[in-house]
Amino acid sequence: MRNDPRQYDELAHQWWDPRGHFVSLSWIARSRAEQIPNATRPGAVLVDVACGGGLLHPHLEGKGYTHVGVDLSEEGPKVARGHGVDHVVRGDINHIPLADGSADVVVAGQCLEHVADPYAVAVECCRILKPGGTFVLDTIADTALARLFIITIGENLPLPGMAPKGCHDHRLFVNPDRLAQACASAGVPLKLRGLFPSVLDFLGWFVYLRKEVRMRPVRATNVLYQAVGTKVA
Ligand SMILES: C[S@@+](CC[C@H](N)C(=O)[O-])C[C@H]1O[C@@H](n2cnc3c(N)ncnc32)[C@H](O)[C@@H]1O
């Protein structure tokens, strides 16, 4: 079975492993955090939708948010709390258990491609965002090229740092135009750009010369892409 959510519990010990299955998520988390503005009020809340093991947390240091995670898995929230996430709610992002307008920032990193209706989940994210708040997301495009890179290559190469086999289902990959339309209709016009790992960094990381791989912005949004929007006041 593809996209089995139990995989995240079975592999929870790997969330922070620098050569483990989830390491590329930590590289993407850094890039995601660069899109998050500093808090503009004391007590500002950032909701990290499907927070997993809390990989975003170190990149929020100094930005001034209370970091609230939501995740369905049993183990992810424990790992996230152990790595500094302030509060983690165990819940389903199809129906985020938070009030309308309760978040100054909502982030949805690498999760929309794991749910049956990513457009409805994006609208849920917009619902919990305050007017003037920021929505940052990254996900995988519904293209044959994304399927090739993310599943055929990414899940099958016998190398460190590759995604767990079966972790993605290409039928759930997310159309960028449809996503932008859904968010615009929920009051959050998005700006999209593609992301691609630095090949030099990747080679360096592979031979232990680099600790991390930087994600580079690219024009093409047909594999991995990121989007940022502000909710209209
Ligand atoms: C690829 S991981 C991304 C985790 C994190 N956002 C990151 O980038 O490191 C996908 C996460 O989505 C969570 N997830 C999948 N379906 C979910 C749902 N319906 N509700 C809440 N969490 C879900 C999984 O438990 C897992 O932690």
Side-chain angles (χ1 to χ4, degrees):
M1 175 185 167
R2 291 206 149 263
N3 191 46
D4 184 344
R6 287 171 301 188
Q7 211 170 22
Y8 294 101
D9 283 329
E10 285 155 16
L11 294 172
H13 60 285
Q14 293 215 12
W15 273 114
W16 289 80
D17 179 345
R19 310 295 287 184
H21 281 306
F22 299 130
V23 66
S24 63
L25 292 174
S26 70
W27 306 333
I28 301 169
R30 180 184 290 283
S31 162
R32 188 181 311 136
E34 285 165 7
Q35 304 302 318
I36 299 171
N38 287 342
T40 54
R41 64 176 190 98
V45 171
L46 179 147
V47 177
D48 188 355
V49 165
C51 64
L55 296 177
L56 184 66
H57 191 72
H59 308 297
L60 297 177
E61 197 182 333
K63 287 190 186 274
Y65 293 101
T66 298
H67 185 182
V68 177
V70 180
D71 202 281
L72 195 60
S73 79
E74 195 171 333
E75 297 301 322
K78 294 180 198 162
V79 176
R81 274 187 221 107
H83 282 83
V85 179
D86 299 294
H87 307 284
V88 188
V89 182
R90 206 172 156 214
D92 186 345
I93 59 173
N94 290 288
H95 308 282
I96 303 173
L98 296 170
D100 295 1
S102 52
D104 296 81
V105 172
V106 177
V107 295
Q110 298 301 297
C111 60
L112 296 177
E113 69 277 17
H114 293 288
V115 293
D117 188 347
Y119 313 103
V121 171
V123 169
E124 263 296 270
C125 293
C126 299
R127 176 187 68 75
I128 64 165
L129 192 59
K130 282 185 202 305
T134 305
F135 184 22
V136 183
L137 67 91
D138 43 81
T139 187
I140 299 171
D142 60 341
T143 63
L145 193 63
R147 185 177 180 181
L148 173 72
F149 275 118
I150 306 288
I151 299 182
T152 313
I153 299 175
E155 290 186 13
N156 290 296
L157 271 189
L159 298 176
M162 295 292 129
K165 209 169 168 61
C167 149
H168 298 101
D169 181 338
H170 73 95
R171 292 166 300 183
L172 302 179
F173 287 178
V174 185
N175 183 272
D177 293 334
R178 230 183 123 189
L179 183 65
Q181 276 167 18
C183 290
S185 69
V188 184
L190 294 178
K191 270 197 182 158
L192 275 70
R193 64 179 191 173
L195 286 181
F196 207 80
S198 153
V199 175
L200 266 186
D201 282 3
F202 185 75
L203 293 173
W205 174 82
F206 188 62
V207 295
Y208 291 86
L209 286 175
R210 292 246 161 91
K211 280 195 169 164
E212 199 173 330
V213 176
R214 283 166 291 185
M215 300 303 296
R216 300 288 194 203
V218 292
R219 281 175 65 138
T221 55
N222 58 353
V223 180
L224 177 63
Y225 63 97
Q226 185 175 62
V228 184
T230 302
K231 188 164 183 177
V232 289

